[in-house]
Amino acid sequence: MGIQKRLVGSYLIVILITVAILEIFLMVSVKYYYYHNMERILMNQAELSASFFHQYFADEDLQKQSERLLNGFAQNSAAQVQIISSSGQLLQDSTGTPAGKSLIEYQDVQSAISGKVGIWSGNELSTHENILAVSYPLQAKDITVGAVRFVTSLTEMTETINRIFTLFITVGLFVVAIVTVLGIFLSRTITTSITELKLAADQMAEGDFSVTAKKRYRDELGSLADTLNTMAATIRQNDQLKNDFISSVSHELRTPLTSIKGWAVTLRTSDEDSGSLLKDGLEIIETETDRLTELVDELLDFSKLDNGRLVLNCNPLHMTEFIQHIGKQLAPRAARQSISLYVHVNDKLPVIQADENRLKQVLINLLDNSLKFTDPLGSIQLAADSDHEYVIISVEDTGQGIAEGDLAHVLQKFYKGDSHAAGSGLGLSISEQIIRLHGGRLLIESQEGVGTKVKIFLPK
C-alpha cells in the first residue's frame, strides 16, 4: 500500500471515529433533552393538579367530582388527562374515552395508586401509538383515593428527533467528505514531493548527478531536497577534482618519464665520449626520478590518510633545533633561486611529542610551495614561537598569493587553483591532515599578488 493511501486511510479513520463519537453524543443529548423536557412538563402539570385536588377537593367524593376535576386539570394542558380511581378504573378522560375501563395494567398507574409518582413510556395497548404517561397520586388525609394521569403522544417528538438525527448524519457525512478531499489533497502535496525525490535519487544512484531535486515547500522534504542537491553538487565537484587529479598526475608522470627516456636514448645512441654529457644526463635522470618518487610518496600518504591507516611515530622533539635544521636544509635552494630565506626561532621553544619525519614533510612542502611561487629577489620567512597553549610555526612569502576564490578550497584533496597548477593537488591536503593528527590546526592567509602566510598550531 502506497504512502498516499496509508495517509488518507489513517486520516479518514481518525475523522470517522471522531465524527461518530460526536454524532452519538449529540443524538443522545438531543433525545435526552426532548424526552426529559416532555417528562418534566407532564410531571409539573400532574403535581399542580394533585396539589389543587388536595387543597380544594380532599373532602369530596372523587367519583362525583371527577368531571369538575377533569375540566380544571385539562383546561391548561394540551396532554390527554385521565382521572383514575383507587382501583385503577378510568373515571374521566379528556379525549372522551368511556369511563369504567381498567388501566391497572399500566406501570405508572400501579405506582400512582400505591402512592408514588409513576412514569411510563411505550406503545398504547389499543392504538399501538408511542406515548409518555405520568401518573400522580391524589391523596386525601394521607390516603390515596385515586390518581391523575397525563398522557402525550411521542410520535411528533420522535419525528422531530429523527429529522434532527438526519441533519446530524448529513452534516457528519459532509464533514467526512470534505476531510477526505482535503486529506487526498494534502497527501498529494507530500507524496508528490516524495515521488520527485525518489526519481531524483534513482537517477543519482545510476550516476546522473546533474539532476536537481525539486523543492516544493519549506519543510522536512524541502530540506531533504536541499541535502540531495548539495550532495549531488559535492559529488560533481569531487568528480571534477578527480578528473583534474588524474589529468594532473598523468601530466606529472609523463613529463619526468619523457625526460628520463629522452636522456636514456641520448646516452645510449650518442657516439661522443663526453663525460660532461653523461654527467648532465645522469643529473637530469636523478632529478626527474626524485620528482617521480615524491609524487608516488604523496599518493601513498594520501591513500593511508584517506583510509585511516597513517599512524604517527611520536617522540620528544626539540622544536628550536628542528626549525633551524629545516631552514638550513632549504637555504641552498633559496640561494639558487635568488630568494631570501629568513629563519626566526624562539630559543626557548618547548620540547613536544611529535612525529619528526611527518612535521618535516609538512614544512618542506610549505617551503617548497613558497619557493615555487615566489619570484627572484623575493623573500620567505620561517618563524616559530609559542604561547601558553601552542607552538606556532609560520611560513610567510612574498610570492604570487592565492586568489580569493581558491583560498577556501586549497586544503581540499586534488584541488589546484590557477596559481598552483603544478603538482598533484595533494600536498596541502596531506599537510593539513598530518597537523590535525597531531591535535593541531593549519590556517592559510593569502592575498593575490602580495603573498601567502601559513600558520601551524601544535599543542604543547
Side-chain angles (χ1 to χ4, degrees), residues 259-285:
S259 182
I260 291 171
K261 182 177 180 180
W263 274 100
V265 172
T266 299
L267 294 175
R268 182 173 59 82
T269 59
S270 177
D271 296 330
E272 300 180 10
D273 186 13
S274 173
S276 61
L277 179 65
L278 178 62
K279 182 179 179 181
D280 291 342
L282 292 176
E283 286 181 354
I284 292 174
I285 289 174

Side-chain angles (χ1 to χ4, degrees), residues 363-379:
L363 289 176
I364 290 178
N365 177 266
L366 295 178
L367 290 167
D368 180 68
N369 285 339
S370 294
L371 289 167
K372 283 180 182 178
F373 302 108
T374 300
D375 296 330
L377 304 182
S379 65

Side-chain angles (χ1 to χ4, degrees), residues 50-68:
S51 177
F52 179 80
F53 171 82
H54 181 72
Q55 186 174 0
Y56 297 105
F57 292 90
D59 296 331
E60 303 290 337
D61 182 77
L62 177 61
Q63 186 172 2
K64 293 180 178 179
Q65 301 297 330
S66 61
E67 186 175 354
R68 291 178 60 192

Side-chain angles (χ1 to χ4, degrees), residues 7 43 66 70 120 145 233 254 256 260 263 300 343 379 406 438 440 456:
L7 283 174
M43 182 68 72
S66 61
L70 179 65
W120 176 80
V145 296
R254 187 181 297 111
I260 291 171
W263 274 100
L300 289 174
V343 179
S379 65
D406 296 329
H438 279 84
I456 296 173

Side-chain angles (χ1 to χ4, degrees), residues 90 94 130 161 176 181 257 265 277 283 319 357 390 416 425:
L90 180 64
S94 61
N130 193 21
I161 293 174
V176 170
V181 173
L257 286 174
V265 172
L277 179 65
E283 286 181 354
M319 292 302 297
N357 290 328
Y390 294 101
K416 297 185 298 176

Side-chain angles (χ1 to χ4, degrees), residues 279-389:
K279 182 179 179 181
D280 291 342
L282 292 176
E283 286 181 354
I284 292 174
I285 289 174
E286 181 182 5
T287 301
E288 297 302 314
T289 302
D290 289 341
R291 285 181 60 191
L292 286 174
T293 302
E294 181 182 354
L295 179 60
V296 171
D297 287 342
E298 280 190 351
L299 292 174
L300 289 174
D301 286 343
F302 169 73
S303 177
K304 290 179 180 179
L305 283 167
D306 206 40
N307 294 313
R309 293 185 291 108
L310 184 64
V311 179
L312 297 180
N313 183 21
C314 294
N315 293 293
L317 179 61
H318 296 269
M319 292 302 297
T320 301
E321 298 176 3
F322 173 71
I323 299 298
Q324 290 174 343
H325 177 74
I326 296 295
K328 291 177 182 179
Q329 184 175 342
L330 273 295
R333 178 180 171 186
R336 287 196 304 270
Q337 296 180 214
S338 300
I339 297 173
S340 299
L341 176 61
Y342 303 100
V343 179
H344 301 288
V345 184
N346 187 334
D347 293 336
K348 297 181 180 181
L349 288 180
V351 176
I352 66 171
Q353 290 290 328
D355 188 324
E356 181 178 358
N357 290 328
R358 290 300 176 183
L359 285 185
K360 182 183 292 186
Q361 176 184 349
V362 171
L363 289 176
I364 290 178
N365 177 266
L366 295 178
L367 290 167
D368 180 68
N369 285 339
S370 294
L371 289 167
K372 283 180 182 178
F373 302 108
T374 300
D375 296 330
L377 304 182
S379 65
I380 300 173
Q381 180 173 281
L382 172 62
D385 204 344
S386 66
D387 58 17
H388 66 285
E389 189 176 359

